[in-house]
Amino acid sequence: VSLKAIAEAPCKVIITGEHFVVHGGVALAAAVDRKVRVDVGESGSLRVRSEGLGNRSGPSLRPFASVLAVMSRVYGTPSRLDIGVSSDIPSGAGLGSSAATMVALAAAVSELEGLSLGVPQIVEMAMAGERDLHGRPSGIDPNVCASGGVIRYRLGEGPSKVELQGTRSFIVAVSKQRRSTRRLVSKVSEMGGRYPSLFAALAEAATDVSSLAEERLVHGDMEGLGRLMTYNHAVLSAAGASNQVLDSLVNLLVSLGCPGAKLTGAGGGGSVLAVAPRGKEKSTIADLKRRGIEAFEAKIPVAGVKSWLSR
Ligand code: PMV
């Protein structure tokens, strides 16, 4: 049996500041305990098998090929490998599964070839695939999937780790609406082109929200964090990232006792993130499920990407 390397990367939620982070604002993100697993083995050709989806072909191979190509150029690793992908992320959840996949791929290749790459190098390699998928991503997703934990992120400054004492509990509710991050990022950016001063004010508000949210999160003031998240949802709505389904999920979660809720990630579908009501985490999730809504509890912090060899 030939040698294989396996890597697992967690998915992520953006707690505050998405979209405006593309325009220089500060965002806060956390890794969550839903994972993508990638295995790689030597092979004469590039093959990507996705669990349940069979072999990938055509354009969906491109991000994989791009990560292998940049690693081959920088580190001399093989540009053709046999790749397997599996995950426990609900589909259409918008929880950064593409970033988690690219991070796990870079980590698995590093493991197979004995490179011992650190988090910044893995992120740099994963970004080649993220650019294929999303155009000009801010890089927040691969950074938090690789490092794990909670990060504060600003373009040009890169990530800084937010240390927590103990755990914090959130609820993720999945809208099951698929959407394109690229299309939503350009929709929100267009609003910036049309109303530059209004957009600048919203971007500044999002940065303020992220700083305040970080402080509340660190001190365990989850009521305060929730209020800021609901406010951030309104700002994202004003910028065109929400829709009726997400707005009603936010309202429902708040009416069920969550201290606050907002869309998370690009919006237009994907998921809503809420602060879990203390002591009512399980019953709230059961209530959501009875209403036909897929939801799970996300406890943070969780570890970042891990890799190992296997025969
Ligand atoms: O791909 P998503 O849904 O996780 O969104 C990424 C967050 C954005 O701020 C909307 C885009 C970016 O590149 O930061």
Side-chain angles (χ1 to χ4, degrees):
V1 190
S2 61
L3 186 66
K4 279 210 302 192
I6 299 170
E8 255 180 17
C11 286
K12 67 100 221 326
V13 291
I14 298 185
I15 301 173
T16 55
E18 54 272 87
H19 282 291
F20 300 103
V21 68
V22 176
H23 305 278
V26 172
L28 202 60
V32 297
D33 193 22
R34 285 287 187 281
K35 293 190 191 80
V36 174
R37 177 187 273 231
V38 171
D39 62 79
V40 297
E42 301 268 345
S43 160
S45 58
L46 171 64
R47 189 167 74 131
V48 181
R49 299 162 281 111
S50 289
E51 193 179 86
L53 295 169
N55 282 350
R56 293 205 194 202
S57 58
S60 69
L61 279 179
R62 244 186 69 196
F64 294 87
S66 296
V67 172
L68 294 187
V70 68
M71 293 190 79
S72 167
R73 214 163 45 240
V74 178
Y75 300 107
T77 54
S79 57
R80 293 165 204 286
L81 288 167
D82 188 76
I83 302 169
V85 183
S86 61
S87 88
D88 60 1
I89 303 154
S91 72
L95 298 175
S97 62
S98 71
T101 306
M102 295 302 125
V103 162
L105 174 62
V109 175
S110 162
E111 183 74 43
L112 187 71
E113 301 296 319
L115 298 176
S116 314
L117 297 186
V119 164
Q121 289 78 31
I122 287 172
V123 171
E124 199 187 327
M125 300 297 110
M127 279 297 280
E130 280 284 278
R131 280 188 210 101
D132 277 342
L133 289 160
H134 300 312
R136 290 180 55 206
S138 66
I140 189 169
D141 288 13
N143 268 289
V144 74
C145 293
S147 70
V150 179
I151 63 167
R152 169 193 169 86
Y153 188 83
R154 178 173 228 157
L155 266 178
E157 283 173 14
S160 56
K161 200 128 195 187
V162 175
E163 300 293 347
L164 299 183
Q165 303 287 325
T167 61
R168 311 282 186 273
S169 201
F170 293 86
I171 288 174
V172 177
V174 182
S175 79
K176 294 193 174 150
Q177 290 181 302
R178 300 195 150 275
R179 82 288 183 266
S180 147
T181 297
R182 193 192 285 261
R183 198 182 64 74
L184 276 140
V185 167
S186 66
K187 184 180 176 197
V188 170
S189 304
E190 259 168 41
M191 191 256 174
R194 196 164 304 140
Y195 308 106
S197 60
L198 176 56
F199 192 77
L202 292 180
E204 200 162 324
T207 292
D208 268 355
V209 165
S210 291
S211 299
L212 294 168
E214 178 183 342
E215 194 186 291
R216 303 295 187 273
L217 180 69
V218 168
H219 291 114
D221 172 8
M222 299 304 276
E223 294 281 332
L225 175 64
R227 273 193 298 275
L228 289 161
M229 284 169 53
T230 306
Y231 173 74
N232 194 177
H233 181 78
V235 173
L236 286 162
S237 242
S242 193
N243 63 22
Q244 261 179 15
V245 174
L246 297 177
D247 288 346
S248 46
L249 273 175
V250 166
N251 291 335
L252 175 63
L253 284 156
V254 170
S255 76
L256 295 177
C258 294
K262 62 181 273 293
L263 70 86
T264 183
S271 294
V272 164
L273 177 71
V275 172
R278 209 180 293 263
K280 282 178 31 190
E281 298 85 355
K282 305 275 178 301
S283 61
T284 305
I285 286 165
D287 192 337
L288 291 165
K289 287 192 171 151
R290 272 198 299 280
R291 294 165 195 258
I293 298 163
E294 187 169 348
F296 62 91
E297 186 182 359
K299 276 211 180 100
I300 65 167
V302 304
V305 67
K306 283 199 244 315
S307 61
W308 61 94
L309 291 172
S310 134
R311 268 184 209 281

